[in-house]
């Protein structure tokens, strides 16, 4: 499974277009978080034990744009 790490550190927000803010209430996450698209990794699905929330279609589009920026894709 391909994973985009999520951070709650507001210092991540300053890292440019490869970091996407995920507002807590609108994303159903407990706190405002940041998708760190330039640190994509893989993870064994068995390591995922708890669902923290879901993202809206708009947030998913923003993460997609962050991934495109991180991989220098148009």
């Amino acid at each position: 499974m391909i994973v985009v790490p999520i951070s709650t550190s507001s210092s991540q927000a300053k890292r440019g277009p490869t970091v996407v803010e995920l507002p807590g209430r609108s994303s159903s996450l407990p706190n405002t978080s940041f998708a760190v698209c330039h640190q994509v990794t893989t993870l064994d699905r068995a390591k995922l034990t708890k669902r923290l929330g879901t993202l809206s279609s708009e947030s998913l589009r923003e993460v997609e744009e962050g991934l495109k920026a991180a991989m220098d894709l148009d």
Side-chain angles (χ1 to χ4, degrees):
M1 169 178 286
I2 297 171
V3 178
V4 176
I6 304 293
S7 172
T8 56
S9 171
S10 59
S11 66
Q12 287 291 342
K14 301 173 188 168
R15 301 206 56 179
T18 62
V19 177
V20 177
E21 182 174 352
L22 305 170
R25 294 201 170 131
S26 66
S27 64
S28 80
L29 295 171
N31 301 306
T32 295
S33 303
F34 302 90
V36 187
C37 299
H38 58 271
Q39 292 184 357
V40 174
T41 188
T42 58
L43 185 66
D44 184 337
R45 191 177 293 267
K47 300 281 185 189
L48 302 174
T49 59
K50 183 171 111 177
R51 181 182 297 256
L52 295 179
T54 58
L55 298 179
S56 67
S57 296
E58 177 62 27
S59 291
L60 284 173
R61 276 191 292 280
E62 290 177 19
V63 170
E64 181 180 3
E65 290 303 313
L67 288 166
K68 286 178 181 180
M71 293 184 271
D72 199 25
L73 300 173
D74 287 330

